[in-house]
Each structure stands twice: as C-alpha cells, then as structure tokens.
Amino acid sequence: MSTFVVVSLFLHLITIAVIIYLVYTKPKGHTREDVDEIEQLLIRYTNKMKEDNKHVLRAIQNKPSFEEVLQEVTPNYDKEPVEGVISDSKEAKVVQLANEGYKAEHIAKQLEMGTGEVQLLLKLQQNDKISQ
C-alpha cells in the first residue's frame, strides 16, 4: 500500500509540474498591435489586388475584339495563291519535297518531323487533289 501512495504522489507531482510549465509557456493572445498589423497587411493586399484588376481591365479594353481580328485575317484567305510563290509552312515544304521525288522518310528527317506525320500530310494532299 505504501508503494501505491508513493507512486501516486510522484505522479501527482509530475502532473502539477507539467501544468505549471504549460501555464507559463502557453502562447500569448494577440495584442492590439498584432491585430492592427494584420489589418494593415490585409488593406495593402486588397489595394494591390484592386490595382492589378484595374491594370487587367485596361489591358483587356485596349485589345481588339475577336471580330476585328477576324476581319484583319479573313481577307488573306480570300486571295488566290500567286503562282511561283512557295509557302513557308511545313505542309507546303512536305508537298514540295514529295513532288521533287523524295520519300517520306527523307522528308521527315530533313524537316525534323515524324514519318507518320509526313505520310498523313501527303495522304491529305492526295485526298484534296482527288476531291477537286
């Protein structure tokens, strides 16, 4: 029985010591200065967001509309290609090299494309010629 009392007293002393330690080391509450600092940070952050939003709105308003861009680009599609002028697109280069007699593997290597991609472009070109 005396062993039980000694162990109990020892555990009570440890518990009291831990409670005292926790009371003195607990985090302090926010002071008024902390609250003011946080409030100022939030105000600065929201003001920065408002400025960024205004900047984005100005940038959007200065950009041309989709219709304007479409009108600028559309006339280029209406024009017939001029004879003797070769397009700089990869598709045009593939067709040109194929017309010169090169095989798909050589064209793919020269233009740094996949062989399957070259073969597909050539088939599409053949289908366009057949449908016309």
Side-chain angles (χ1 to χ4, degrees), residues 15 27 42 81 116 118:
T15 305
L42 289 172
V118 171

Side-chain angles (χ1 to χ4, degrees), residues 5 12 34 68 71-72 75-76 79 86-87 109 112 115 119 121 123:
V5 173
H12 280 85
D34 293 339
E68 292 170 347
Q71 287 175 354
E72 290 177 12
N76 294 334
K79 297 178 184 174
I86 299 174
S87 174
K109 186 180 261 186
E112 298 177 352
T115 305
Q119 291 171 344
L121 289 171
K123 283 188 181 197

Side-chain angles (χ1 to χ4, degrees), residues 74-128:
T74 303
N76 294 334
Y77 290 115
D78 294 340
K79 297 178 184 174
E80 289 294 321
V82 179
E83 289 296 321
V85 175
I86 299 174
S87 174
D88 288 336
S89 70
K90 280 192 175 186
E91 293 82 5
K93 289 177 184 176
V94 167
V95 172
Q96 180 184 2
L97 290 172
N99 290 339
E100 292 175 8
Y102 291 104
K103 295 189 178 199
E105 293 81 15
H106 178 25
I107 296 170
K109 186 180 261 186
Q110 187 173 354
L111 297 179
E112 298 177 352
M113 297 172 68
T115 305
E117 185 179 3
V118 171
Q119 291 171 344
L120 177 64
L121 289 171
L122 292 174
K123 283 188 181 197
L124 290 173
Q125 180 67 22
Q126 288 174 353
N127 288 343
D128 283 347

Side-chain angles (χ1 to χ4, degrees), residues 5-120:
V5 173
V6 171
V7 171
S8 177
L9 284 174
F10 181 70
L11 289 175
H12 280 85
L13 288 173
I14 291 175
T15 305
I16 291 171
V18 169
I19 291 172
I20 291 171
Y21 173 77
L22 290 175
V23 166
Y24 285 110
T25 60
K26 76 173 187 174
K28 305 286 188 240
H30 292 292
T31 63
R32 184 65 190 158
E33 293 85 24
D34 293 339
V35 172
D36 289 341
E37 183 180 350
I38 292 170
E39 186 178 346
Q40 292 301 320
L41 285 172
L42 289 172
I43 289 171
R44 281 189 294 221
Y45 179 72
T46 54
N47 287 337
K48 177 67 175 151
M49 284 178 53
K50 287 178 185 177
E51 289 175 19
D52 290 346
N53 288 344
K54 287 178 184 177
H55 177 71
V56 168
L57 285 174
R58 271 187 257 126
I60 289 172
Q61 290 170 349
N62 292 337
K63 288 196 175 206
S65 67
F66 176 75
E67 290 79 19
E68 292 170 347
V69 172
L70 190 61
Q71 287 175 354
E72 290 177 12
V73 174
T74 303
N76 294 334
Y77 290 115
D78 294 340
K79 297 178 184 174
E80 289 294 321
V82 179
E83 289 296 321
V85 175
I86 299 174
S87 174
D88 288 336
S89 70
K90 280 192 175 186
E91 293 82 5
K93 289 177 184 176
V94 167
V95 172
Q96 180 184 2
L97 290 172
N99 290 339
E100 292 175 8
Y102 291 104
K103 295 189 178 199
E105 293 81 15
H106 178 25
I107 296 170
K109 186 180 261 186
Q110 187 173 354
L111 297 179
E112 298 177 352
M113 297 172 68
T115 305
E117 185 179 3
V118 171
Q119 291 171 344
L120 177 64

